[in-house]
Amino acid sequence: MPNSKNMASEGVGDVKLMGEETILSYGNCVKTSRCPEESETAANSRPWIDEVVRNEKVTEFMAAKNSVDEGEIYGTAAEMVYRLLTYPLDYTQFATVAIDQDPKVETDVNIEFIHNNIHYWAGGDGGHMSQIRVATFDPIFWLHHCNLDRIWAIWQVLNPDKWFTEGRVGEFNQKTIGLPEVITNKTPLRPFHKDEHGNTWTSDERSSDGRFSSVSYKTKIFETVNVKYGACPQQALQLLAQAQAGTAPLPDGMTEVGTGVSALDYAISVRYSKFAFGGHPFNIEICLDPGDGSPRDYKRDYVTNVYNFSSPAVVNGEEVCTNCTNLQGQDIQVSSYAPITPILNRLYKENRLKSLKKEDVEGELQRLYWNITMNGRSVPVSEWPRLGRKIILSGSEDFGNFDVIPSIGVGATPPGVEAYYLPYDQSIKLKTEVGTGGSVVFQSSYLNLDASNRTDSTGISLLYFNESSGQDPNDEENYHFLLTFSIRRRERTIWLNSKPAHGVWHNQTVIPINGWFQGSNVHIRVDVRHNDYSVFIDGRGFRTRNKNLGQLNVTHVQYWSYPDSIPPALSPRAVSVTTYRSSNEVPAV
C-alpha cells in the first residue's frame, strides 16, 4: 500500500467465514499474502500485516507434475486450458460456469471455472487472491486477468463463427453509460471510440480483418496449443514411441491409428449450488484412496479441486453485491470440469493401474472421495447436502461424445445416512424408508420472507405411498401427507398439518413466524418418534405434531408452493434432503 498505509484506509474490513467463526482482518494488512498458514493469519501478527508470500506453493498448485515425463511441467491449469481450446463449445459454454438448460458433460469445461481455481491456487487459504473483496490488491490479479484475455483471444481466432447475439440486462443502471436495457452484438460499446468522430466499437467488430482466420494460421495455433498445454497427447505419443521401439507394450485401452494413437480422455465434472454456504467461498477437494488399507489423508490422496469463488451479497447488514443477491435468489447452479487422464497415465506408469481400458479405470476410480473446505478447514459432512452436489466421471475418445460412467460419483455417506436433491415443485422417492427413531432434514441456502400482495404458501411434506396397492403413483391423491410444514408469508405464520390419501386436511397447528429463522441458510429437521413428529428450525425445538395417520414410514418427500405464480420462500430451484436411520446421528446445528 502507498506510504505503508493499511488496507483499512481504503475501506477494507474483515471477512468472516465458517459460520462467522473465522475472521480474516484484511484491513490490517499493508501488503498482500499468498498461501499463508493458518497460524500466520492472526489479525495483529507481523507476517499477516507485512505479507506472507509462498510462491513455491502457488507453483505447486499451478504446475503439479502429474505427467509421465517428469522432465516436463504439465500441471492441472495447462490441462484445463488445453481442453478449453480444443473442445467444441459455443460462446456461452466457453464463457461461464452457469449450467445450460440441457447440461452435458462435454460443455462443463469453461474459462470462468479456470479463472476461479487460479484465484485459489494463487491465494491459498486466506491469501488475498482467494477473496473477491480483496483480490485486486495482489499484483498477480492483473496478470491473471490479462492472461484470461489472451486465452479468450486465442479461442476467438479458433472459433471465428461463434459469438453471442443478445446479452442479459446488467445489474446496474446501464443507461448511465448510454447502453440500452438489452445488449446485442451490435450495441455500441461506450466509451470505447474507434475514431475522432465519436463512433464507438461494437462487439461484432472485435475481430481482425480476416487474415488471421485462415486454415493455416489456425492449424499453427492448434500445434502450439498441443505442445504448450496438452500433456495427454504428449503422453500418448511417448507411450506409442516406447511401443514402437519395443521397450514397452502399448497399454490396453490405447490403439495405434496411423501416425498417432487413440485413447479415452477421462475427466471429472462437478455441479453444485454456487451460494450453498451463503456466498462464502469454498473448496471441493477430490481425492483418490490408495487402496492399501491406510487411513485416508486428504493431502496425500489429493487429485484435483474445484474452487467456488464467491462472496456474500450482504456484509454487516449492507448489500455489497446486487448481482450476488439476484443469483442467490435464483439458487444458481454451476459446473466445473477437471481432467484426470494425466493422473491415470501416472498410475499406469507406476504399475498401480492394470490398463487404460474403461473397466480397469472404473475399478480404480471407485476409490474416489472428496472433502469440502472453507479457509482450509473441513466443512461438517452434515452441511454437504446444501451443495446439491453431483460429481460425474466421464470418458471421451473424440471430445464430442462423452460417455458417463454411472458407477462413479455417488458421494460417500455414513451408514444409515442418505442425501438427496429435491427439485422445486416435485416429490421424490426415498431409497430407504424413514421409520420411528429416524429423522429427515431439509436445507435451503435461500430464504425470502417478504410478503406478497396475495396469500401464498411454501411447503415441504413427508409422504407415504403404498406401492403394493396398485394405485397410480403419479396421482397425488393416492399419498398420505404424514406431515406438512408450510410457510405463509402474508399471514406471517408457519403451519403444521396432515392429510390421509383421498381425505381432507386435519386441523392445522399455526405458529407465528417471527424469530424462528436465524438467517438465509435454513435447516428444518423432523424427528419421527413413536407417537409424534418433532420439528426443529435452525437447531431449535419448534413444535411436535401427533401421528394422526398411525405408524406409517416416510417413503417420499415433496417440495411445493402455492400459487405457482409467486416464487417460493425457500430456494426457487431445489432444497437438499438428508435422511437418518437414527435421530442420534443428526449433527448439531
Side-chain angles (χ1 to χ4, degrees):
M1 291 289 294
N3 302 318
S4 297
K5 293 181 179 180
N6 62 23
M7 294 182 184
S9 65
E10 296 297 325
V12 176
D14 295 341
V15 170
K16 298 180 180 181
L17 303 172
M18 286 294 293
E20 311 302 312
E21 295 174 3
T22 300
I23 297 178
L24 297 171
S25 296
Y26 290 105
N28 290 359
C29 297
V30 174
K31 299 180 181 179
T32 55
S33 292
R34 295 177 193 153
C35 298
E37 300 291 341
E38 184 176 358
S39 60
E40 298 167 324
T41 61
N44 296 312
S45 69
R46 292 315 308 179
W48 179 246
I49 293 172
D50 292 335
E51 74 177 1
V52 178
V53 178
R54 286 195 172 83
N55 287 332
E56 71 282 359
K57 186 67 176 179
V58 178
T59 301
E60 180 184 337
F61 276 132
M62 297 280 289
K65 291 184 179 181
N66 292 325
S67 63
V68 169
D69 185 355
E70 296 296 339
E72 297 290 340
I73 297 179
Y74 282 104
T76 304
E79 280 297 312
M80 292 190 296
V81 171
Y82 174 72
R83 284 155 179 77
L84 182 72
L85 296 176
T86 56
Y87 281 14
L89 306 171
D90 64 30
Y91 174 73
T92 302
Q93 294 161 349
F94 164 86
T96 178
V97 295
I99 295 177
D100 285 348
Q101 291 292 329
D102 183 23
K104 299 178 182 178
V105 172
E106 58 264 35
T107 63
D108 282 350
V109 61
N110 57 77
I111 196 170
E112 186 179 359
F113 158 60
I114 296 173
H115 157 269
N116 294 351
N117 259 24
I118 290 176
H119 268 277
Y120 175 72
W121 292 336
D125 295 316
H128 286 65
M129 273 287 284
S130 68
Q131 296 289 332
I132 285 180
R133 295 173 61 195
V134 293
T136 54
F137 283 91
D138 191 328
I140 203 172
F141 171 93
W142 305 98
L143 294 174
H144 171 37
H145 279 258
C146 286
N147 191 46
L148 290 171
D149 287 346
R150 169 183 164 273
I151 293 170
W152 184 18
I154 294 172
W155 186 86
Q156 287 177 305
V157 171
L158 296 176
N159 299 273
D161 58 333
K162 296 179 180 178
W163 196 226
F164 79 104
T165 56
E166 186 174 293
R168 291 181 297 181
V169 176
E171 303 301 338
F172 55 91
N173 186 359
Q174 298 181 101
K175 292 180 181 179
T176 62
I177 58 172
L179 294 180
E181 292 296 326
V182 177
I183 298 174
T184 73
N185 52 352
K186 301 184 185 302
T187 299
L189 298 176
R190 292 184 61 191
F192 301 104
H193 297 95
K194 60 183 178 180
D195 55 36
E196 296 178 353
H197 305 293
N199 296 313
T200 54
W201 293 98
T202 70
S203 297
D204 267 0
E205 295 173 308
R206 80 204 185 283
S207 59
S208 65
D209 58 8
R211 289 176 294 175
F212 295 104
S213 297
S214 66
V215 173
S216 60
Y217 188 75
K218 290 172 62 176
T219 300
K220 185 65 177 178
I221 290 181
F222 273 124
E223 291 175 355
T224 304
V225 168
N226 281 332
V227 172
K228 285 188 175 294
Y229 297 109
C232 291
Q234 303 300 320
Q235 291 173 0
L237 291 174
Q238 290 169 16
L239 294 171
L240 176 61
Q242 293 173 7
Q244 291 174 337
T247 58
L250 191 65
D252 288 341
M254 284 188 173
T255 305
E256 185 174 355
V257 179
T259 59
V261 63
S262 173
L264 283 175
D265 181 42
Y266 295 94
I268 294 172
S269 175
V270 185
R271 300 170 185 173
Y272 58 92
S273 173
K274 184 176 180 68
F275 291 89
F277 299 114
H280 293 298
F282 56 87
N283 200 31
I284 303 175
E285 299 174 344
I286 300 174
C287 307
L288 182 62
D289 190 313
D292 57 6
S294 60
R296 288 179 170 179
D297 184 307
Y298 294 125
K299 291 185 177 180
R300 179 200 64 195
D301 303 339
Y302 172 86
V303 172
T304 188
N305 75 286
V306 171
Y307 187 59
N308 184 66
F309 189 54
S310 59
S311 175
V314 177
V315 176
N316 297 327
E318 180 182 352
E319 185 179 64
V320 296
C321 176
T322 303
N323 187 46
C324 298
T325 301
N326 293 332
L327 293 177
Q328 185 169 355
Q330 299 169 34
D331 192 21
I332 192 74
Q333 305 292 301
V334 297
S335 67
S336 59
Y337 186 92
I340 59 170
T341 300
I343 295 162
L344 297 173
N345 289 342
R346 186 190 69 197
L347 294 176
Y348 175 78
K349 181 185 178 183
E350 296 172 352
N351 295 317
R352 293 167 57 190
L353 182 60
K354 180 180 178 182
S355 78
L356 297 175
K357 295 196 314 187
K358 179 179 175 181
E359 52 268 31
D360 290 329
V361 169
E362 183 175 0
E364 181 72 14
L365 296 184
Q366 292 287 347
R367 297 198 300 274
L368 281 174
Y369 69 99
W370 36 87
N371 186 34
I372 302 172
T373 65
M374 283 188 190
N375 201 44
R377 299 183 182 182
S378 293
V379 174
V381 175
S382 61
E383 300 296 321
W384 290 12
R386 291 186 186 182
L387 287 177
R389 187 189 70 256
K390 186 174 185 181
I391 298 180
I392 306 168
L393 177 73
S394 65
S396 171
E397 191 165 348
D398 58 7
F399 292 166
N401 182 21
F402 280 71
D403 182 14
V404 173
I405 300 176
S407 65
I408 307 294
V410 178
T413 54
V417 181
E418 295 175 355
Y420 302 87
Y421 185 72
L422 176 56
Y424 168 63
D425 201 26
Q426 290 189 32
S427 60
I428 59 172
K429 180 182 177 181
L430 302 179
K431 298 175 185 176
T432 305
E433 298 179 5
V434 178
T436 298
S439 294
V440 183
V441 175
F442 299 85
Q443 290 178 276
S444 170
S445 58
Y446 171 80
L447 175 67
N448 179 8
L449 294 179
D450 294 339
S452 68
N453 56 6
R454 296 174 59 191
T455 299
D456 72 303
S457 181
T458 298
I460 49 178
S461 301
L462 309 183
L463 310 178
Y464 170 79
F465 177 73
N466 183 1
E467 293 196 341
S468 64
S469 66
Q471 294 179 318
D472 183 4
N474 296 315
D475 185 350
E476 190 175 283
E477 281 297 309
N478 295 326
Y479 287 77
H480 293 283
F481 282 73
L482 305 178
L483 179 72
T484 287
F485 175 105
S486 60
I487 300 170
R488 301 194 170 218
R489 289 176 285 191
R490 183 177 175 84
E491 301 166 14
R492 311 305 295 170
T493 57
I494 299 172
W495 287 22
L496 300 180
N497 212 338
S498 56
K499 182 181 82 70
H502 304 284
V504 297
W505 289 100
H506 297 140
N507 291 331
Q508 65 269 11
T509 303
V510 181
I511 303 95
I513 202 172
N514 295 337
W516 280 108
F517 294 103
Q518 302 302 302
S520 60
N521 288 317
V522 179
H523 186 283
I524 301 170
R525 167 180 169 177
V526 181
D527 289 351
V528 183
R529 305 197 300 192
H530 183 72
N531 294 316
D532 57 38
Y533 301 100
S534 184
V535 182
F536 301 78
I537 299 178
D538 293 346
R540 296 190 298 161
F542 177 65
R543 288 292 189 279
T544 59
R545 172 90 180 182
N546 289 336
K547 281 185 171 179
N548 295 323
L549 300 177
Q551 299 298 328
L552 298 176
N553 290 345
V554 181
T555 61
H556 295 69
V557 289
Q558 184 184 57
Y559 175 35
W560 54 271
S561 73
Y562 178 84
D564 294 339
S565 58
I566 300 177
L570 303 176
S571 169
R573 291 180 179 268
V575 297
S576 63
V577 180
T578 309
T579 62
Y580 297 85
R581 179 177 52 198
S582 170
S583 297
N584 295 328
E585 298 169 344
V586 182
V589 177

